[in-house]
């Protein structure tokens, strides 16, 4: 079996280790003395709670858990069991309490009180599970790979523009990368495209950090810096094969009347209001100009409204391509877009509407 370090929900290493194989994991006991400053696996309790919760959340085939310390191994497994199938709750908290109480009694002589609730334990699955799936779902890092893991604060420079550029690369069928297909989750764009989240994040990180970021440098999964960054950029992440509904782009009766029966206008509005695309354009605009402002009337929203809340009035408009050329298959580039204030954007849409009505007379 190989030894792994357990990550917390912020992708930080916990002082807790476990051994892993296809049929389960063995959590190392807490040892040493605080007074002597030689404690090992000091975060045994919090780490075990997290592992139990992740097993339940990921629907891994939990069978049983038993004490697996050296002294206890002389007893039959049936006498060492501290959690059985059906006792694992969704949060893992009730199961953790049961295990801690029962753990103290394993191997304890009658009449004695106390006992150790931080022993080495074995968590067994009913069927084999691929190690790659276990490390992903349980958020484990092989000890030999810890030196390669990048600190999470390094990824804070990744923005929506980097993610958009990563998606543009992945849209090219011939593009090759070091990341395999997704196993459990997909990133879904506003157009319904699906991409492996870790590949998107890794390619975005490579651009942001200016060196080749590889799968071993970070972890994916719910709650990781990878998934949080992608969701903050405006994308949704869903379990693999789960159907998703595209977001409703129409926010007014005028939009609905304008686009009714006009597929190209539907494509136009859907592209403009794709949250990932809009945020990518704004990040790109900020990088080039240092601030957001309306490209038509030059209005500075922070100056006009007295604070960052004014940025809410800056919207993204698809201005470089003629509406009649905007089909569902059209590939949008960030340079095709404009940053407009809400007033100028509404006026521009009215101008397009009148122009189309005039052409159709």
């Amino acid at each position: 079996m190989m030894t792994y370090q357990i990550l917390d929900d912020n992708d930080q290493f916990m002082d807790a280790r476990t051994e892993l194989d296809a049929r389960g994991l063995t959590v190392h006991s807490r040892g040493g003395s605080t007074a002597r400053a030689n404690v090992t696996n000091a975060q045994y309790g919090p780490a075990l709670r997290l592992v139990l919760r992740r097993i339940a959340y990921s629907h891994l085939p939990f069978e049983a858990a038993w004490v697996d310390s050296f002294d206890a191994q002389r007893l039959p497994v049936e006498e060492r069991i501290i959690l059985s199938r059906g006792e694992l709750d969704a949060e893992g908290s009730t199961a953790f309490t049961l295990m801690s109480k029962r753990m103290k009694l394993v191997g304890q002589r009658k009449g004695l009180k106390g006992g150790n609730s931080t022993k080495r334990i074995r968590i067994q699955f009913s069927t084999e599970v691929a190690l790659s799936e276990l490390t992903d779902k349980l958020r484990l890092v092989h000890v030999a790979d810890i030196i390669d893991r990048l600190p999470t604060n390094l990824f804070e420079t990744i923005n929506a523009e980097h993610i958009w550029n990563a998606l543009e690369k992945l849209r090219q069928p011939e593009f090759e990368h070091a990341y395999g297909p997704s196993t459990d989750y997909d990133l879904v764009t506003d157009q319904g495209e699906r991409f492996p989240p870790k590949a998107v994040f890794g390619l975005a990180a490579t651009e942001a950090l200016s060196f080749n970021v590889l799968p071993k440098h970070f972890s994916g999964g719910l709650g990781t810096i990878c998934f949080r960054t992608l969701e903050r950029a405006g994308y949704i992440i869903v379990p693999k094969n789960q159907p998703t509904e595209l977001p409703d782009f129409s926010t007014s009766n005028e939009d609905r009347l304008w686009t009714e029966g006009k597929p190209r206008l539907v494509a136009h509005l859907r592209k403009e209001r794709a949250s990932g695309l809009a945020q990518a354009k704004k990040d790109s605009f900020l990088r080039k100009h240092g601030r957001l402002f309306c490209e038509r009337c030059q209005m500075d929203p922070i100056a006009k409204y007295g604070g960052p809340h004014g940025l809410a009035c800056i919207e993204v408009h698809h201005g470089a391509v003629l509406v009649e050329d905007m089909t569902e298959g059209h590939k949008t580039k960030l340079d095709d877009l404009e940053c407009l204030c809400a007033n100028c954007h509404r006026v521009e849409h009215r101008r397009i509407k009148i122009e189309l009505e005039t052409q159709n007379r």
Side-chain angles (χ1 to χ4, degrees):
M1 292 193 294
M2 296 185 290
T3 303
Y4 291 78
Q5 199 92 6
I6 300 171
L7 298 177
D8 66 14
D9 285 338
N10 293 316
D11 258 5
Q12 302 299 313
F13 292 109
M14 303 185 75
D15 187 1
R17 290 188 174 188
T18 181
E19 295 173 9
L20 187 66
D21 61 78
R23 286 300 301 267
L25 60 156
T26 302
V27 180
H28 290 194
S29 63
R30 187 182 190 277
S33 166
T34 303
R36 297 179 181 177
N38 64 348
V39 178
T40 58
N41 299 306
Q43 292 179 285
Y44 175 97
L48 180 54
R49 284 179 183 268
L50 275 179
V51 166
L52 292 172
R53 189 186 75 196
R54 290 167 182 168
I55 290 173
Y57 185 86
S58 302
H59 303 291
L60 291 171
F62 174 78
E63 176 70 20
W66 58 78
V67 175
D68 201 42
S69 61
F70 179 77
D71 289 340
Q73 288 178 4
R74 59 185 172 80
L75 300 172
V77 169
E78 293 76 16
E79 295 181 23
R80 296 186 268 144
I81 290 178
I82 53 176
L83 196 72
S84 301
R85 184 191 299 179
E87 292 184 315
L88 179 59
D89 58 302
E91 292 298 319
S93 56
T94 301
F96 175 81
T97 302
L98 284 173
M99 292 172 71
S100 298
K101 290 180 179 178
R102 294 169 178 173
M103 200 182 309
K104 293 180 180 180
L105 303 176
V106 174
Q108 184 81 303
R109 286 183 293 176
K110 293 182 180 180
L112 293 181
K113 295 182 179 180
N116 184 0
S117 61
T118 57
K119 297 176 181 178
R120 175 185 170 100
I121 64 167
R122 172 70 179 177
I123 297 175
Q124 187 81 354
F125 300 135
S126 58
T127 59
E128 290 191 356
V129 182
L131 291 184
S132 59
E133 181 180 353
L134 290 177
T135 55
D136 181 54
K137 290 181 175 178
L138 300 180
R139 308 274 284 283
L140 308 175
V141 178
H142 188 230
V143 168
D145 295 333
I146 288 177
I147 193 171
D148 295 320
R149 187 69 48 153
L150 296 175
T152 54
N153 61 354
L154 199 63
F155 297 119
E156 293 175 359
T157 58
I158 301 171
N159 62 31
E161 183 185 9
H162 299 134
I163 293 169
W164 173 262
N165 292 338
L167 288 168
E168 285 290 87
K169 292 175 182 177
L170 289 170
R171 288 185 173 105
Q172 302 171 22
E174 69 280 5
F175 180 74
E176 296 182 358
H177 57 84
Y179 298 83
S182 58
T183 56
D184 297 305
Y185 295 95
D186 286 330
L187 176 148
V188 183
T189 70
D190 292 82
Q191 284 74 47
E193 303 163 292
R194 287 177 176 256
F195 296 96
K198 197 165 181 179
V200 177
F201 183 82
L203 294 173
T206 294
E207 179 182 345
L209 301 177
S210 300
F211 66 84
N212 192 21
V213 175
L214 300 173
K216 66 181 179 179
H217 289 142
F218 65 96
S219 61
L222 295 177
T224 62
I225 185 70
C226 169
F227 278 28
R228 292 199 305 270
T229 302
L230 297 174
E231 290 170 335
R232 189 167 58 245
Y235 300 95
I236 61 172
I237 297 175
V238 300
K240 202 159 185 65
N241 301 320
Q242 175 180 301
T244 57
E245 293 184 7
L246 294 179
D248 183 11
F249 63 88
S250 297
T251 57
S252 69
N253 288 331
E254 182 177 2
D255 285 342
R256 294 184 178 91
L257 290 172
W258 183 36
T259 60
E260 187 175 4
K262 302 179 180 68
R264 283 176 286 193
L265 292 181
V266 172
H268 169 72
L269 283 188
R270 189 178 294 284
K271 284 182 171 67
E272 279 192 351
R273 296 180 187 179
S275 54
L277 174 64
Q279 191 57 53
K281 174 61 182 179
K282 290 178 183 179
D283 283 349
S284 174
F285 196 87
L286 274 169
R287 177 176 54 81
K288 292 176 181 177
H289 303 284
R291 62 190 179 93
L292 285 180
F293 59 87
C294 178
E295 295 186 67
R296 297 292 177 90
C297 70
Q298 306 302 304
M299 185 269 285
D300 184 325
I302 292 181
K304 181 174 178 62
Y305 294 105
H309 55 276
L311 295 175
C313 77
I314 296 296
E315 301 173 351
V316 170
H317 170 63
H318 205 310
V321 182
L322 294 175
V323 173
E324 55 265 32
D325 294 331
M326 291 180 187
T327 64
E328 284 287 358
H330 175 73
K331 299 297 183 183
T332 301
K333 299 179 181 178
L334 295 183
D335 289 341
D336 295 340
L337 309 172
E338 292 180 283
C339 286
L340 303 181
C341 69
N343 285 340
C344 287
H345 197 190
R346 180 56 59 191
V347 169
E348 179 60 16
H349 275 193
R350 180 57 64 90
R351 184 194 66 77
I352 294 173
K353 179 176 182 289
I354 293 173
E355 180 180 295
L356 288 174
E357 290 174 343
T358 301
Q359 292 175 356
N360 293 330
R361 286 177 182 171

